[in-house]
């Protein structure tokens, strides 16, 4: 998605923001544009506080003067604005391409509403073309990977499950975990897969966001499309 489209999506999402809100602030290039828009309004007098979902977003907020808080100080949020890697017709998401899925899910779950901003091409009939990120503990990695393969096979899913790298070393999340990217191709039953993955002790969390997004702003060449659940 071009930066122009990202800005348009972020501007549309800003329409959900009201003075005095406690915001969850997402991670990624589209979320960065939302942070920049938010900062301009804060400079003009908008009163909000934000909980960033990653160290990257926190750094940009601090740089631009967006006031921050934590979930310890502010455990209930009004709205989270974040991106997505895929979204289906029920507003079930795949997230985690940027590696912040655990914090993103914690923040979204603490929010009364979640608005997603994404490229129109991220809308799919069935999730799974984008590899599903699964955040795992480094201890027992091999056993956890095999358990994921077995759980997937029981649901009729197959495909490569690869350790995400940053250069030649394993990618580490802000929480110090690793990520396995599962290329299932299609996921017809996200709820069943979610339950199966969370039964595996080495799985910290996964990138299926079910029942969290209330609205999705899709930006395409034809303009902005708003989906609601």
């Amino acid at each position: 998605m071009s930066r122009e489209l990202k800005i348009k999506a972020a501007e549309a999402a800003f329409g959900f923001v009201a003075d005095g809100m406690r915001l969850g602030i997402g991670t990624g290039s589209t979320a960065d544009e939302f942070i920049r828009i938010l900062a301009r309004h804060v400079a003009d007098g908008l009163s909000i506080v934000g909980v960033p979902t990653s160290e990257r977003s926190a750094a940009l907020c601090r740089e631009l003067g967006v006031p921050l808080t934590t979930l310890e100080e502010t455990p209930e949020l009004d709205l989270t604005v974040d991106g997505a890697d895929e979204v289906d017709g029920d507003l079930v998401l795949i997230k985690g391409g940027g590696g912040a899925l655990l914090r993103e899910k914690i923040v979204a779950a603490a929010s009364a509403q979640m608005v997603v901003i994404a490229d129109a091409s991220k809308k799919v009939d069935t999730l799974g073309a984008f590899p599903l990120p699964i955040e795992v503990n480094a201890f027992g990695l091999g056993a956890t990977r095999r358990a994921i393969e077995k759980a997937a096979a029981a649901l009729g899913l197959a495909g490569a499950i690869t350790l995400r790298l940053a250069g030649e070393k394993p990618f580490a999340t802000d929480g110090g975990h690793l990520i396995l990217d599962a290329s299932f191709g299609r996921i017809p039953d996200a709820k069943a897969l979610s339950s199966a993955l969370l039964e595996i002790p080495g799985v910290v969390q996964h990138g299926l966001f079910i029942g969290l997004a209330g609205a999705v702003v899709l930006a395409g060449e034809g303009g902005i499309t708003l989906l609601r659940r």
Side-chain angles (χ1 to χ4, degrees), residues 26-49:
T27 296
S29 57
T30 309
D32 286 349
E33 300 301 341
F34 176 76
I35 292 171
R36 292 186 180 99
I37 291 167
L38 194 61
R40 291 200 297 271
H41 286 274
V42 167
D44 289 338
L46 177 70
S47 176
I48 57 93
V49 291

Side-chain angles (χ1 to χ4, degrees), residues 86-89 123-130 185-189:
E86 278 189 342
V87 55
D88 71 8
K123 173 71 169 59
V124 297
D125 292 328
T126 303
L127 297 173
F130 188 92
R186 59 190 307 275
I187 302 171
D189 191 340

Side-chain angles (χ1 to χ4, degrees), residues 193-218:
L193 180 57
S194 170
S195 297
L197 291 175
L198 293 177
E199 286 293 320
I200 299 169
V203 171
V204 178
Q205 194 48 261
H206 57 70
L208 290 167
F209 281 50
I210 302 170
L212 290 171
V216 175
V217 176
L218 296 175

